[in-house]
Amino acid sequence: MSYITENWYWIVAALGSGGALLWLQLKNGGGGGDLSAQDAVMLINREKATVLDVSDAAEFAAGHVRNARHVPLDQIAEGVKGLPANKQLPVVVIDATGARATKAVAKLKTLGYEKAQALRGGLRAWREANLPVDKAN
């Protein structure tokens, strides 16, 4: 107990820095994607990446990345229609905010899509970068 009372300032510093890191993570959309919108565009154009939208049907209809394939998060499984046949090509996973995309990337990696990456900030970040968005007809 004397260690805690004698070194209380180190404990406060550790808690403060942890809190600051948590605040930054939440401030940046909460969705922990690892790919910026500009990096996603480069993957799409240079490496023929597939864009996979894991939003629900209503969100996808309201707006999605042009030529994105729609496979809701709860439907990602082996052999499901919409997943790319070539598991060696990059896959950019997107949803409204980026939160579900991170979960989808984990599922895709277990299915063999090692180059799957979530778009940081989701469709919101895509729109903020002034990139084209389609709506369902």
Side-chain angles (χ1 to χ4, degrees), residues 45-66:
N45 291 338
R46 293 183 181 169
E47 298 185 38
K48 307 294 184 221
T50 300
V51 179
L52 190 66
D53 193 315
V54 295
S55 303
D56 63 36
E59 290 172 329
F60 185 79
H64 56 271
V65 173
R66 186 169 290 152

Side-chain angles (χ1 to χ4, degrees), residues 25-59:
Q25 180 67 21
L26 294 174
K27 181 181 151 248
N28 289 330
D34 52 356
L35 192 64
S36 70
Q38 290 77 16
D39 291 338
V41 170
M42 286 186 2
L43 275 177
I44 294 164
N45 291 338
R46 293 183 181 169
E47 298 185 38
K48 307 294 184 221
T50 300
V51 179
L52 190 66
D53 193 315
V54 295
S55 303
D56 63 36
E59 290 172 329

